[in-house]
Amino acid sequence: MKKNDHPEFVGIPKLKRKHHQQIVEFEHWARAEDWQKFHISHYDWWAFPIDKPSRLGFAYTVFEDEINELKQDPVFMQELVLGAELLLRSWGWDLKRSSHIDHPLPDQDWQNWPIRLHKCASSLLLFGFQPEFESVRKFARGLIHEGVSFAYSGKDLSELFR
């Protein structure tokens, strides 16, 4: 599809507000080293918008027109990467260095959220962040190599990372 014209779509302004609020919350959790908040909270629909409907239908789904509009917003684009950095840090991965964090805290480890990792990676790809996607892919491949299942709701989400 080219444009999200579904009635449940929240629209670009609301998506951007919700996204910004979530990244601010991520920053707060990271400063407090409250990694558990990343693991128990719900946010992936608006924090990492993708081009497929979710449990919330098409409310936060973005297609070509929405992606192009959001790409024109430097704050949104910076915060999308920052959100990915903080999420991956909650799992003990340094997105920029593309490696595990030295001496992670007890709650800073993989929490078996393949759908979140998939959405984060998919969103980075959609918005043109190839190097960041490659870092996420490296993290996912390491998990897969360790035997972590990427099955979610009857689907194998590991395909994106091969």
Side-chain angles (χ1 to χ4, degrees):
M1 291 184 74
K2 187 166 170 37
K3 181 175 179 56
N4 187 345
D5 54 8
H6 291 268
E8 67 264 29
F9 179 51
V10 299
I12 294 290
K14 185 172 181 179
L15 172 60
K16 285 171 40 172
R17 275 193 310 277
K18 189 102 168 135
H19 184 266
H20 173 73
Q21 291 167 347
Q22 189 61 64
I23 303 311
V24 168
E25 200 165 21
F26 279 6
E27 289 177 305
H28 174 75
W29 298 343
R31 272 193 309 277
E33 296 181 339
D34 190 353
W35 305 111
Q36 202 50 236
K37 283 282 195 187
F38 285 89
H39 310 320
I40 63 171
S41 301
H42 295 283
Y43 49 77
D44 41 309
W45 305 283
W46 50 84
F48 305 107
I50 59 172
D51 58 353
K52 293 176 180 46
S54 67
R55 185 170 59 96
L56 299 179
F58 287 89
Y60 297 97
T61 305
V62 293
F63 296 120
E64 185 180 338
D65 286 357
E66 292 81 25
I67 292 166
N68 288 334
E69 185 175 337
L70 290 166
K71 281 181 166 183
Q72 301 306 309
D73 184 336
V75 172
F76 175 85
M77 294 296 281
Q78 289 173 331
E79 288 182 343
L80 181 63
V81 172
L82 178 57
E85 286 178 30
L86 296 173
L87 175 63
L88 273 288
R89 191 180 307 161
S90 80
W91 291 326
W93 186 257
D94 186 319
L95 187 72
K96 289 182 180 176
R97 287 188 353 195
S98 197
S99 65
H100 289 281
I101 291 172
D102 297 327
H103 315 294
L105 296 173
D107 288 333
Q108 223 174 351
D109 61 358
W110 177 243
Q111 297 289 312
N112 199 29
W113 280 107
I115 188 65
R116 286 190 178 164
L117 188 60
H118 189 273
K119 285 182 183 179
C120 176
S122 296
S123 191
L124 290 170
L125 266 181
L126 279 176
F127 286 93
F129 293 105
Q130 189 67 38
E132 291 81 358
F133 168 77
E134 292 301 333
S135 179
V136 174
R137 185 176 179 187
K138 182 178 177 182
F139 176 64
R141 284 179 166 177
L143 292 170
I144 292 164
H145 181 73
E146 292 172 8
V148 171
S149 171
F150 271 65
Y152 185 82
S153 290
K155 296 178 187 169
D156 180 9
L157 301 178
S158 68
E159 185 68 28
L160 178 64
F161 305 111
R162 295 186 187 196

